[in-house]
Amino acid sequence: MQKPCSIEGAVDQVLTALDGPIRLGLPLGLGKPNQWVNALYARIKQLPERQLVIYTALCLGRPRAAAGLPRRLLEPFVERIYGDYPELDFLTDLQRDSLPANVRVEQFFLQPGSLLDSATTQQNYISSNYSHVARDLNDKGLNLIAQLVAQDPQRPEHFSLSCNPDITLDLLPLLEQRRAAGETILCLAQVHSALPYMTGDAEVPRRSFDLQVLEEDSSTLFSTPNMPVTLQDHCIGLHASALVRDGGTLQIGIGAMGDALTAALLARQADNQAYQALLDELRCTRHWKTEIDKTGAVQPFSQGLYGCSEMFVNGLLALVDAGIVRRPVYPELVLQRLASGGALDDQGMPLSVQALLDAGLAPQLDAQALCELQASGLLSDSIRWAEDCLLLADGQQLASDLRDARTQQVLQQHLGQARGGVVVHGGFFLGPNAFYQRLRELSTAQLQRFAMTGICFINELHHQEALKRLQRRDARFINTVFTMTLMGAGVADQLEDGRVLSGVGGQYNFVAQGHALQGARSILLLRSWRDANGKVSSNIVWDYAHATIPRHLRDMVVSEYGIADLRGKTDAEVIEALLNISDSRFQPGLIEQAQRAGKLPKDFRLDPRFADNLPERLQALQNRHPELFAEYPLGCDFDSEERDLLRALNWLKARLRFACALELATAVWRAPSPGEYGAHLQRMALAQPRGVRQRVQRRLLLAGLRASS
């Protein structure tokens, strides 16, 4: 690595070293060195003869709201949470479709819904499985990587890729091959002072980077505040939590449904009696007993789970802190076989010498086998090999056959903790500020339990397949979709008109693993209905113009109304299973469509047990047990007034349509006096309204506050 240079100096060096098009790869999400990228972008805009192509995903921008009450709530919150976070200048131009002619941005995953109206983005979107991105970018001739890293004064020869080893680790060996063939390829690092120093695979030699930016980035890390978990999401999470098997493997996606699942798992462990009672009232354990008995359980976790998720989400850390995610896995096949055979406890300590033998350890030790046991940490380094015997430090000699009773008795005192055990593998992380703070507070030993690594390790089975199959027992890959067809296809990334909402990411990878791994299941979470601009519609539809997950990979689907096990079912059985978890307002129309297509018999009748799948039934359940439906189960960045205001605005949004005009007018007419909500009005700068518009806004807000309190 060259001597660290300034931001502008690093731009100069890149422009000098790369005399053709600059093909820049930036990490997904948090790991982009925005300050340096902005400097490069500004320079390229002034050099129309130079070409810049940026390959990346999930470009993070501050949330924005429409004018009026939403903006009054959001803008002060954004200022407080995001502080001096440096926006990406090219993202601003993308949103306006105003990139200069010599710059192109290609992304394989978008901040959900943020670039639907950017023609430039939609035209330059790359549809690629997450695990194939490194290959695809290398094939495009990537010649520059720029990434935020962490540093540790105790590790002066290393950087940590911290939040984003995902693609970088997979790319580095590919780029080295091209360098060896004579190509010029640069890797640039900028240290961010707030990034936690993750070890293991995420720790790389400083020499892996050719350039280091001298200025350390100390700006606010971009965060994703926890949003309210609705009743609909809570019920989805409760159903899904009963499909997670103790001793198994868990992958969770980001968002409110993932938070709801985490909350349900926490309840399953902390207050199992109340949890099971709630499942019974929800009819989960009555209607879906067969699915639960076959796939999951409702008891507390005695063995614990292992987390394997492309995104290390806040919920996984909460599950670790609660002692639910605690099953360690190991990087060596021999060790993992012993762990999978039940010979090691949660801390990696052997239960006994006999337990190691029962789990498959070869009984006859030789010099090499002894060294391997000591390297793994299972046996004390003080033991030596001497002429077919084991020699202890005090001079005792033991038979080298571990079946020998005396050998077992003495070695029991010399057993040690297995090395390298981790409870979570993750490819990248992104979350609320409290999540970053929690990681920074952990000791080095605690952080070593979280293995940030390359995405191909997590999202694929090939390479170390035997090891992964042992680690990922009883895996539950739990992701979200926004639409399901009655024939079992899932939609998560693209609208019917072709516009990309987000991206496929790793969803296909995990669905495929759900089918490839013995005992594994893919579980898609779905809100059965939605309210968009005052129109209520079903998210379970007869057909859709696009599918993220094809119907031949259908497995399990969970809505707020229940569980549909679609694996191996006929088309008619799949349709019936999905009708059973759909909203009853739409069941007649869906049945008619399926019958018209000849996929259901003309005399089909819906099971009466599922004819009252209505929000009112779930609302009554919440009214009886409000304490079990926490609005922010994983913490909250909003203060108390902001939480009230957010509920009020959501209430207003749902009623700003003709059908609710009378209800809204009545609420506004009966709005409480301003003094009752003085702090809320002060927060929204409406304590002293000026003009008719602000007086109307205040009246609406007061009505919403009263109605939603």
Side-chain angles (χ1 to χ4, degrees):
M1 177 187 289
Q2 301 178 19
K3 185 178 180 181
C5 53
S6 67
I7 287 178
E8 291 297 336
V11 172
D12 290 336
Q13 292 201 38
V14 166
L15 291 172
T16 300
L18 302 176
D19 55 6
I22 298 171
R23 304 185 184 280
L24 168 63
L26 298 173
L28 171 151
L30 190 61
K32 298 177 179 65
N34 291 10
Q35 295 173 346
W36 184 82
V37 173
N38 286 344
L40 175 66
Y41 181 58
R43 189 79 67 86
I44 291 293
K45 290 174 77 171
Q46 298 169 4
L47 300 170
E49 71 279 6
R50 297 302 304 265
Q51 300 291 314
L52 172 64
V53 185
I54 299 174
Y55 305 105
T56 190
L58 200 58
C59 293
L60 302 170
R62 288 180 177 85
R64 291 173 173 81
L69 291 173
R71 185 175 295 176
R72 287 176 177 272
L73 172 61
L74 188 62
E75 284 186 345
F77 175 78
V78 166
E79 186 63 29
R80 184 176 80 241
I81 296 299
Y82 296 97
D84 61 349
Y85 168 75
E87 295 277 351
L88 285 162
D89 292 338
F90 75 75
L91 178 59
T92 301
D93 288 346
L94 260 183
Q95 291 165 338
R96 300 170 180 165
D97 279 331
S98 60
L99 284 178
N102 61 330
V103 177
R104 187 168 76 254
V105 178
E106 299 184 6
Q107 300 186 71
F108 67 89
F109 196 93
L110 311 177
Q111 191 170 4
S114 64
L115 292 164
L116 278 172
D117 298 321
S118 167
T120 305
T121 299
Q122 294 296 326
Q123 292 163 22
N124 291 320
Y125 168 76
I126 303 171
S127 186
S128 183
N129 285 329
Y130 200 177
S131 57
H132 297 159
V133 169
R135 176 204 67 192
D136 294 347
L137 297 190
N138 187 59
D139 289 346
K140 286 176 176 287
L142 189 76
N143 58 13
L144 173 62
I145 291 176
Q147 176 153 357
L148 286 180
V149 297
Q151 66 179 0
D152 180 351
Q154 305 301 316
R155 305 284 292 168
E157 299 301 316
H158 293 79
F159 283 136
S160 171
L161 299 177
S162 189
C163 57
N164 276 98
D166 50 337
I167 302 298
T168 305
L169 278 180
D170 293 339
L171 263 174
L172 287 176
L174 300 176
L175 299 182
E176 281 304 312
Q177 293 175 14
R178 289 171 48 208
R179 276 178 165 167
E183 292 189 52
T184 300
I185 300 173
L186 300 177
C187 296
L188 176 143
Q190 183 176 15
V191 172
H192 197 295
S193 59
L195 281 177
Y197 193 93
M198 311 301 288
T199 57
D201 291 345
E203 187 178 55
V204 297
R206 287 195 181 220
R207 65 176 181 273
S208 302
F209 291 90
D210 308 284
L211 301 172
Q212 181 187 349
V213 174
L214 180 63
E215 295 95 335
E216 187 172 301
D217 191 346
S218 58
S219 62
T220 304
L221 286 173
F222 189 92
S223 63
T224 53
N226 294 319
M227 298 306 292
V229 175
T230 65
L231 169 62
Q232 196 175 23
D233 292 340
H234 267 300
C235 292
I236 292 169
L238 283 163
H239 282 106
S241 70
L243 299 175
V244 178
R245 180 167 291 171
D246 189 19
T249 301
L250 181 64
Q251 180 257 327
I252 310 178
I254 190 174
M257 283 186 273
D259 290 352
L261 169 63
T262 300
L265 292 172
L266 291 170
R268 174 174 160 182
Q269 185 76 356
D271 190 352
N272 192 255
Q273 184 176 357
Y275 167 79
Q276 290 202 42
L278 184 57
L279 288 184
D280 187 60
E281 279 204 63
L282 189 59
R283 307 178 185 175
C284 177
T285 45
R286 283 182 281 161
H287 290 175
W288 316 110
K289 185 177 186 302
T290 300
E291 289 80 2
I292 293 169
D293 289 346
K294 177 182 176 182
T295 302
V298 296
Q299 291 77 30
F301 296 92
S302 61
Q303 301 175 59
L305 304 174
Y306 154 59
C308 184
S309 187
E310 63 184 20
M311 183 172 175
F312 176 19
V313 294
N314 185 36
L316 280 173
L317 184 55
L319 292 172
V320 172
D321 287 340
I324 296 172
V325 171
R326 67 176 188 271
R327 178 173 73 84
V329 299
Y330 297 91
E332 301 296 333
L333 187 58
V334 171
L335 265 184
Q336 186 58 49
R337 282 177 175 150
L338 295 175
S340 298
L344 308 180
D345 66 16
D346 288 350
Q347 304 305 312
M349 289 295 297
L351 301 180
S352 66
V353 175
Q354 186 59 51
L356 293 173
L357 294 175
D358 293 342
L361 182 67
Q364 187 63 53
L365 288 185
D366 56 21
Q368 180 179 346
L370 174 62
C371 287
E372 289 173 353
L373 281 176
Q374 292 173 325
S376 71
L378 292 179
L379 205 56
S380 169
D381 290 340
S382 64
I383 301 173
R384 296 289 181 266
W385 177 259
E387 297 181 359
D388 293 333
C389 293
L390 301 180
L391 182 63
L392 304 187
D394 61 3
Q396 289 188 72
Q397 287 189 346
L398 301 175
S400 59
D401 190 334
L402 296 180
R403 292 168 294 195
D404 181 85
R406 180 169 175 269
T407 296
Q408 285 196 18
Q409 182 182 12
V410 175
L411 287 187
Q412 191 67 35
Q413 310 305 314
H414 295 270
L415 296 177
Q417 184 179 30
R419 298 190 178 111
V422 300
V423 297
V424 172
H425 274 106
F428 75 98
F429 63 70
L430 177 65
N433 284 318
F435 173 67
Y436 304 147
Q437 182 61 34
R438 178 77 179 105
L439 288 177
R440 289 192 293 265
E441 291 170 351
L442 295 176
S443 67
T444 300
Q446 290 172 319
L447 279 176
Q448 286 173 346
R449 302 177 72 204
F450 306 103
M452 301 300 294
T453 189
I455 211 66
C456 278
F457 178 84
I458 295 165
N459 287 33
E460 297 280 9
L461 287 180
H462 61 74
H463 304 309
Q464 297 182 285
E465 182 170 346
L467 175 67
K468 294 176 183 180
R469 286 185 176 276
L470 283 174
Q471 292 175 340
R472 299 175 193 185
R473 72 182 186 216
D474 291 328
R476 301 293 177 263
F477 300 111
I478 305 178
N479 292 283
T480 63
V481 291
F482 63 80
T483 295
M484 287 292 301
T485 72
L486 267 182
M487 302 284 276
V491 186
D493 67 316
Q494 181 178 299
L495 302 180
E496 281 197 290
D497 61 11
R499 289 181 298 160
V500 178
L501 185 72
S502 53
V504 65
Q507 187 171 100
Y508 172 84
N509 295 142
F510 290 117
V511 170
Q513 284 189 72
H515 287 277
L517 287 167
Q518 183 177 2
R521 301 304 298 261
S522 162
I523 302 170
L524 298 179
L525 308 183
L526 170 77
R527 299 176 181 121
S528 74
W529 63 275
R530 68 179 179 274
D531 183 342
N533 300 319
K535 181 181 178 182
V536 178
S537 58
S538 177
N539 286 328
I540 298 177
V541 299
W542 173 244
D543 58 5
Y544 201 83
H546 166 73
T548 312
I549 304 303
R551 73 188 193 99
H552 65 268
L553 290 177
R554 56 198 183 193
D555 198 348
M556 301 194 85
V557 181
V558 171
S559 81
E560 67 270 29
Y561 297 121
I563 301 164
D565 186 350
L566 311 182
R567 183 181 285 190
K569 301 290 178 65
T570 67
D571 281 354
E573 290 169 334
V574 166
I575 292 169
E576 182 173 9
L578 288 171
L579 285 170
N580 291 344
I581 67 167
S582 65
D583 191 285
S584 292
R585 290 171 288 180
F586 309 104
Q587 288 168 338
L590 292 170
I591 291 170
E592 182 182 348
Q593 286 179 291
Q595 289 175 326
R596 194 163 55 241
K599 285 293 185 176
L600 277 182
K602 295 298 183 182
D603 61 351
F604 173 81
R605 295 292 182 270
L606 184 74
D607 188 324
R609 294 180 300 163
F610 309 115
D612 65 340
N613 287 351
L614 295 168
E616 292 79 9
R617 175 168 67 83
L618 303 183
Q619 187 62 60
L621 178 63
Q622 183 183 35
N623 293 341
R624 291 195 298 273
H625 304 283
E627 72 283 356
L628 299 177
F629 294 90
E631 191 175 24
Y632 296 91
L634 300 185
C636 182
D637 286 314
F638 298 101
D639 62 30
S640 59
E641 283 81 18
E642 287 168 340
R643 292 195 289 272
D644 293 341
L645 289 164
L646 191 57
R647 285 193 295 272
L649 294 190
N650 285 333
W651 185 88
L652 287 169
K653 181 181 178 182
R655 283 154 184 83
L656 289 174
R657 59 181 188 267
F658 181 78
C660 296
L662 180 60
E663 180 186 0
L664 181 60
T666 302
V668 170
W669 177 258
R670 297 175 178 174
S673 65
E676 189 175 342
Y677 294 101
H680 300 80
L681 294 176
Q682 193 73 34
R683 167 63 178 77
M684 296 288 278
L686 288 173
Q688 301 294 328
R690 288 180 289 182
V692 174
R693 182 181 180 84
Q694 289 190 14
R695 285 196 291 273
V696 170
Q697 286 179 337
R698 183 171 76 162
R699 194 78 178 171
L700 284 168
L701 184 63
L702 288 169
L705 285 166
R706 167 66 64 82
S708 60
S709 61

